[in-house]
């Protein structure tokens, strides 16, 4: 489990390798990750956008930006949480992901909530962080 907290927004990530979705002989390794976002602050916030930085074990970086997450822009009041599961294909057996969520307060102020760097590894693969 990986965790980061920014301005009362707690982001926890649990990644896992999906062998049934992978084809190592074809250079395809698929990973799922479950994210839980908890508003531990005092202000209501809405998740407006995401920015991911995905790095494979060779150091190749792919940046992904988009609106919301899994088709939603959840609103979180104090003490509320939102969880979702998504996935990431890699062409190598290990890599890392990290990023930010663009959050907006009820008053219209925006800030980036950190998504902690986390490792994507097939079982028993050596870990490579860049």
């Amino acid at each position: 489990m990986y965790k980061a907290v920014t301005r009362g927004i707690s982001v926890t990530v649990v990644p896992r390798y999906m062998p049934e979705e992978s084809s190592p002989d074809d250079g395809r390794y698929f990973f799922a990750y479950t994210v839980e976002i908890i508003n531990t602050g005092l202000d209501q916030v809405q998740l407006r956008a995401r920015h991911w930085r995905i790095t494979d074990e060779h150091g190749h970086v792919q940046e992904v930006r988009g609106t919301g997450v899994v088709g939603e822009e959840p609103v979180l009041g104090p003490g509320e949480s939102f969880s979702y599961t998504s996935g990431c294909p890699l062409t190598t057996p290990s890599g890392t992901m990290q990023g930010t969520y663009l959050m907006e307060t009820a008053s219209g102020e925006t800030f980036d909530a950190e998504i902690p760097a986390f490792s994507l590894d097939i079982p028993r693969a050596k870990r490579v962080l860049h």
Side-chain angles (χ1 to χ4, degrees):
M1 180 169 75
Y2 302 82
K3 182 177 181 178
V5 180
T6 308
R7 289 184 53 176
I9 304 302
S10 171
V11 179
T12 304
V13 183
V14 178
R16 66 187 179 282
Y17 176 59
M18 304 292 290
E20 65 279 8
E21 300 289 330
S22 301
S23 179
D25 291 341
D26 298 323
R28 177 178 162 80
Y29 303 87
F30 194 82
F31 299 87
Y33 54 91
T34 300
V35 178
E36 182 179 37
I37 304 163
I38 305 171
N39 182 355
T40 64
L42 302 175
D43 298 318
Q44 176 179 290
V45 296
Q46 183 169 14
L47 191 159
R48 292 296 192 177
R50 69 190 181 285
H51 174 210
W52 286 105
R53 188 174 165 85
I54 305 162
T55 307
D56 72 14
E57 71 180 34
H58 300 301
H60 298 117
V61 176
Q62 177 185 0
E63 302 221 19
V64 177
R65 297 176 187 270
T67 303
V69 290
V70 293
E72 298 187 46
E73 292 183 38
V75 175
L76 301 173
E80 294 182 332
S81 66
F82 177 81
S83 295
Y84 72 95
T85 299
S86 191
C88 173
L90 288 179
T91 58
T92 60
S94 69
T96 61
M97 288 180 69
Q98 65 187 80
T100 56
Y101 293 126
L102 178 65
M103 308 300 285
E104 183 177 359
T105 67
S107 65
E109 178 189 1
T110 60
F111 65 95
D112 286 330
E114 179 186 357
I115 303 167
F118 58 96
S119 184
L120 303 171
D121 297 293
I122 66 169
R124 295 177 299 281
K126 72 175 185 171
R127 293 178 183 228
V128 178
L129 294 176
H130 295 276

